[in-house]
Amino acid sequence: MFGSMNCLKCLTVCVDSALLQDERSDILLGSLFSLEWKTTIEEQQLLHSITWTRDLPQGEDRPSPVLEEQVLMVLTLNDFLDMVVSIKHAEQKGTEEVAVNSLFKQLSEYLNRNGEKVVTLAVMGPNPNSWTLCSRRHEDQMLRPQMGEEGSDIEEALVFLQLYRNTSVIFLESWQGLTDHVCAITKALSKRPFKQLTEQDNLPFCLDGSWASGVRVERDGTGLSHVWSRQIQQLNRVSPAVAAGVSSAFPSPQLLLQAYKDLDSEVERKGLLADLLAKSGERERRVGPEISNRVYRFLTAQNPELVLD
């Protein structure tokens, strides 16, 4: 919990000042302030958007703060339907026919300048999937007559945004829903540095198992032999039975290294494990010279780029 709170303190939620024109924005700002999260209100590159910045620890090579790639663009239902019409025109006549001040054109230009950004459109209104045929033909025609009766226009626009602009759309029926979504993104971003560290595959032999962190090692050392066996098993074409045979004969890397030192020649060291038996059920086989040689190189090579196979 303490670590999570510290990570949250490194984040700043940046709210576009244009969003404050809606009096319901107090719900969002009130929640952010009550949570004591750092918040700024300033004009954003993308109209009606919410972004996040992260303060980096001292000693980082990059300038701080850094902009996160997540961007949330807040639209009214009318704004979104306007964007659907613009997308339809763009597909039919080309982007040059789209109105200069259209939100779709602004979004496209922003993404062209910032290809690394991941934009989500938060539409303040009901999901089109919940609209009845009657409401499409009557109530929603009052909102945007230019939509006509082509209900597929919205679906096509959603697919276009996802495929060609990597932009997803969510529908939120209230500002409280928007507030909850912003808080969820903020919490997820705060956990990202820790998740990136835990997902690193530097020690794959310790990653899976019944315990959350992989092979559990007790304070008395119980479990170390299992880790050693799993480490050997990471070598290409080394079965669990072969790894168990090696780790049974030499219960630790240190014992195997000492055995290598006690031998007089390189040939003996490379073949030290060749005659060890590996049992798998009723079957029994030798480790063999090829695997023996690879284990030797794995433990003694000084070149970190050496290809063992």
Side-chain angles (χ1 to χ4, degrees):
M1 182 67 179
F2 177 76
S4 176
M5 291 297 297
N6 276 348
C7 290
L8 279 169
K9 291 178 181 179
C10 295
L11 285 176
T12 300
V13 185
C14 309
V15 181
D16 186 20
S17 53
L19 286 174
L20 272 60
Q21 296 174 6
D22 191 316
E23 60 183 13
R24 294 170 296 175
S25 62
D26 288 346
I27 298 175
L28 171 64
L29 296 179
S31 295
L32 295 176
F33 293 148
S34 66
L35 290 167
E36 298 183 349
W37 292 352
K38 288 193 292 185
T39 307
T40 63
I41 300 170
E42 56 190 10
E43 184 178 351
Q44 301 293 310
Q45 291 184 42
L46 186 61
L47 186 66
H48 292 172
S49 67
I50 299 172
T51 61
W52 288 262
T53 62
R54 183 188 303 277
D55 295 325
L56 296 178
Q58 292 183 353
E60 286 274 355
D61 296 334
R62 296 174 293 168
S64 183
V66 296
L67 274 171
E68 295 288 342
E69 66 268 24
Q70 275 71 24
V71 178
L72 190 66
M73 185 181 188
V74 183
L75 302 177
T76 65
L77 183 57
N78 279 342
D79 288 336
F80 174 68
L81 295 179
D82 278 335
M83 186 174 287
V84 171
V85 172
S86 296
I87 292 173
K88 185 176 181 179
H89 288 170
E91 290 185 300
Q92 292 175 346
K93 302 178 181 179
T95 54
E96 66 276 0
E97 298 291 333
V98 178
V100 174
N101 61 346
S102 75
L103 288 174
F104 173 61
K105 190 173 184 66
Q106 293 180 39
L107 173 64
S108 296
E109 291 176 346
Y110 174 81
L111 289 172
N112 289 339
R113 295 192 306 268
N114 305 275
E116 77 285 357
K117 297 299 183 183
V118 179
V119 177
T120 299
L121 303 183
V123 181
M124 305 304 294
N127 191 317
N129 292 331
S130 67
W131 299 355
T132 64
L133 182 61
C134 178
S135 68
R136 282 187 181 181
R137 289 181 175 176
H138 298 289
E139 296 176 17
D140 296 323
Q141 276 191 348
M142 296 175 61
L143 285 173
R144 276 293 169 264
Q146 64 265 44
M147 286 296 296
E149 296 187 9
E150 292 295 329
S152 62
D153 288 348
I154 294 177
E155 285 78 6
E156 290 175 1
L158 294 176
V159 172
F160 177 89
L161 287 167
Q162 185 66 62
L163 292 181
Y164 294 98
R165 287 301 179 183
N166 192 30
T167 298
S168 55
V169 181
I170 59 173
F171 293 87
L172 303 168
E173 297 197 17
S174 68
W175 272 78
Q176 184 58 56
L178 175 65
T179 299
D180 294 341
H181 189 70
V182 170
C183 291
I185 294 176
T186 306
K187 290 177 181 178
L189 289 174
S190 72
K191 298 174 183 177
R192 174 178 288 181
F194 176 74
K195 288 188 68 177
Q196 288 175 336
L197 286 175
T198 57
E199 289 172 358
Q200 287 181 356
D201 203 15
N202 292 335
L203 297 174
F205 52 88
C206 293
L207 285 184
D208 59 4
S210 59
W211 187 51
S213 295
V215 179
R216 183 163 189 165
V217 178
E218 304 293 347
R219 291 186 177 182
D220 61 359
T222 303
L224 282 173
S225 59
H226 192 187
V227 172
W228 168 225
S229 180
R230 291 286 302 277
Q231 188 176 10
I232 301 170
Q233 193 178 328
Q234 297 311 297
L235 294 174
N236 194 24
R237 300 187 303 279
V238 174
S239 66
V242 170
V246 174
S247 61
S248 295
F250 300 95
S252 74
Q254 189 61 41
L255 290 174
L256 182 53
L257 286 171
Q258 185 58 52
Y260 285 141
K261 290 180 180 179
D262 293 340
L263 295 174
D264 296 328
S265 70
E266 190 81 355
V267 174
E268 289 178 297
R269 297 186 189 104
K270 290 181 179 180
L272 175 63
L273 308 177
D275 292 328
L276 292 179
L277 294 180
K279 296 182 180 180
S280 179
E282 296 181 357
R283 297 180 58 188
E284 190 174 82
R285 53 159 292 189
R286 295 168 58 247
V287 169
E290 192 268 339
I291 291 178
S292 177
N293 184 25
R294 275 196 286 134
V295 173
Y296 170 69
R297 285 187 293 166
F298 168 63
L299 288 176
T300 61
Q302 301 298 314
N303 178 12
E305 305 297 330
L306 177 67
V307 178
L308 296 178
D309 277 343

